[in-house]
Amino acid sequence: MAAAADEVFLRARGRTLTGFREGLRGRKIHYFTDEEYEWKGPFYFIQGADPQFGLMKAWAIGDCDNGGDEWEEEIKLTEQAVQAINKLNPKPKFFVLCGDLIHGMPGTQWRKDQEQDLKNVLKNTDQDIPLVFVSGNHDIGNTPTRETIDTYCKNWGDDYFSFWVGGVFFLVLNSQLYFDSSKCAELKQAQDVWLNGQLAVAEKRKCKHIIVFQHIPLFLRKPDEENDYFNLEKSVRQEIMEKFHKAAIELCHCKTSACQKLETLDRIHNLVEDILPLKRVKAVFSGHYHRNAGGSYRGLEMVVSSAIGCQLGEDEHGLRVVVVTAEKIVHRYYSLNELSSQGIDKDLVDMLAKQN
């Protein structure tokens, strides 16, 4: 029974998302079937980040390395998040947690207890709302190794993978491989090769949008901002941003001669996008900062969501509601109290009611 219960945390397998439904006698099925390649109308999902069981006590006493021996507050906050999500009507397509599931680094003494307590809370999520997990630095280490990543995968599923929902292509990345892969360079290379292949898949399937989830933001507010603990190094982020932007160029089926000239691509694409929307990576959703932030780069929106757990700024503990329509992605951060008491704002519900 315990092994079956843990399967809700292990849906990311074979670089895609699968699941087990209760009552099917252990028979494996896909939550996201071939039908999900097709656009059927607006939908929404919930993004959370950094429940990070143990950080609130550690931060309060000023000892983030050794002070995470209590996490009762994080348990209560995550319970409130799950209860708020379960009450939503209509139901979200899924609930994604963008990393730092717990505070204890690999090898630390409270790690197993923190993981188990988090699973005990998350298993109460409505079974019709799949859980999607993203690895963070506290989940696999600031300098990950093959061993720390393998341990994460045994507990939470693959560290990077893709899936489809309603004609939208979602990519989950292991951003720690971009932050410091000095002890597992071959794993970063494997993710790079895989990502290039996935963007090619998106081209063939003609997806409506591409959305990325990762823990560490590419940048916090400006694409050219200085290097920081909370963003990716400049040259690394530039390479990734260009890769995501290039996906738009490759996915554009415009055959005009002007579109073949590199210096006119952006101008031409901007002119035609209202008529022929480009299938670029539209948004990257992340956590890590424990504050809300964000910016944009050549049509790519960088969305940085504050934490379910410990706050390092002026935001409240919360979740982000993300509505996906044929034309755009609309998102709004709610405090846990707001989402629990009032649900989703009427204008977002109205967007969901419109069929494309």
Side-chain angles (χ1 to χ4, degrees):
M1 289 296 292
D6 278 347
E7 290 302 330
V8 300
F9 307 111
L10 298 172
R11 289 174 178 148
R13 285 290 188 236
R15 302 303 177 197
T16 190
L17 204 62
T18 62
F20 287 75
R21 282 197 190 278
E22 186 176 351
L24 288 184
R25 299 179 182 178
R27 186 157 48 88
K28 189 175 180 181
I29 67 166
H30 288 272
Y31 265 99
F32 304 108
T33 65
D34 289 347
E35 294 180 1
E36 297 293 350
Y37 291 129
E38 301 176 7
W39 177 257
K40 294 183 176 64
F43 64 88
Y44 81 105
F45 62 87
I46 302 295
Q47 184 223 2
D50 302 277
Q52 204 160 342
F53 282 23
L55 178 58
M56 293 179 76
K57 166 72 179 296
W59 187 260
I61 67 173
D63 186 359
C64 287
D65 292 331
N66 303 299
D69 61 339
E70 296 177 11
W71 50 91
E72 190 61 36
E73 285 300 310
E74 287 95 335
I75 289 176
K76 292 177 181 177
L77 289 164
T78 309
E79 286 176 338
Q80 185 180 5
V82 168
Q83 290 164 7
I85 292 169
N86 287 346
K87 288 166 57 178
L88 294 173
N89 186 24
K91 296 181 188 297
K93 285 287 189 178
F94 58 88
F95 172 30
V96 58
L97 275 172
C98 283
D100 277 4
L101 307 176
I102 59 171
H103 182 61
M105 287 282 190
T108 56
Q109 58 181 319
W110 300 299
R111 182 177 176 87
K112 287 186 178 179
D113 289 339
Q114 289 172 354
E115 285 185 330
Q116 189 56 57
D117 283 348
L118 177 58
K119 288 182 176 182
N120 288 342
V121 175
L122 293 177
K123 70 183 181 183
N124 294 316
T125 307
D126 188 313
Q127 65 176 359
D128 291 326
I129 305 173
L131 298 168
V132 179
F133 298 105
V134 181
S135 62
N137 57 305
H138 280 263
D139 305 313
I140 60 176
N142 284 322
T143 304
T145 65
R146 180 177 290 276
E147 181 182 12
T148 63
I149 292 174
D150 284 348
T151 299
Y152 169 87
C153 293
K154 289 176 183 177
N155 282 294
W156 302 101
D158 286 352
D159 57 322
Y160 60 90
F161 54 95
S162 64
F163 61 98
W164 291 79
V165 176
V168 177
F169 193 40
F170 293 90
L171 295 165
V172 173
L173 299 182
N174 180 346
S175 58
Q176 210 59 35
L177 294 176
Y178 296 123
F179 189 83
D180 184 356
S181 62
S182 58
K183 293 186 177 180
C184 56
E186 73 283 2
L187 299 184
K188 176 188 178 296
Q189 182 180 10
Q191 179 174 249
D192 287 339
V193 171
W194 173 87
L195 178 57
N196 291 338
Q198 293 301 297
L199 293 174
V201 167
E203 177 182 6
K204 292 179 181 178
R205 288 284 182 177
K206 298 180 175 59
C207 61
K208 186 65 69 172
H209 307 293
I210 307 171
I211 296 175
V212 174
F213 300 122
Q214 59 188 56
H215 179 61
I216 302 176
L218 297 170
F219 56 89
L220 298 175
R221 302 192 186 279
K222 297 181 179 180
D224 60 349
E225 68 195 18
E226 293 302 313
N227 298 337
D228 188 272
Y229 172 77
F230 291 108
N231 62 22
L232 292 181
E233 191 271 330
K234 274 187 175 182
S235 64
V236 173
R237 96 175 67 127
Q238 187 64 36
E239 180 181 351
I240 296 171
M241 290 188 302
E242 280 301 309
K243 181 177 293 190
F244 289 166
H245 180 74
K246 185 171 180 285
I249 297 173
E250 292 177 345
L251 292 172
C252 178
H253 297 285
C254 174
K255 300 300 183 183
T256 64
S257 59
C259 196
Q260 308 307 314
K261 297 179 180 178
L262 183 60
E263 66 271 17
T264 64
L265 277 173
D266 284 334
R267 180 173 60 83
I268 296 296
H269 286 170
N270 289 338
L271 287 173
V272 304
E273 186 159 9
D274 287 339
I275 301 171
L276 180 63
L278 302 181
K279 308 307 187 289
R280 62 163 57 96
V281 177
K282 287 288 184 68
V284 176
F285 289 87
S286 71
H288 190 51
Y289 192 43
H290 293 256
R291 286 152 282 197
N292 287 311
S296 63
Y297 173 81
R298 303 178 74 182
L300 169 69
E301 185 175 11
M302 182 67 246
V303 183
V304 185
S305 293
S306 196
I308 293 173
C310 186
Q311 299 297 309
L312 302 185
E314 301 301 320
D315 297 296
E316 297 186 56
H317 310 280
L319 296 165
R320 191 172 297 276
V321 174
V322 185
V323 176
V324 182
T325 74
E327 298 82 19
K328 58 187 177 181
I329 298 163
V330 180
H331 53 87
R332 194 166 298 165
Y333 186 84
Y334 289 83
S335 72
L336 296 180
N337 289 335
E338 288 173 334
L339 197 61
S340 298
S341 61
Q342 70 187 41
I344 302 173
D345 291 329
K346 184 178 183 301
D347 63 319
L348 297 185
V349 175
D350 289 344
M351 286 184 190
L352 295 171
K354 294 179 181 177
Q355 293 299 312
N356 300 111

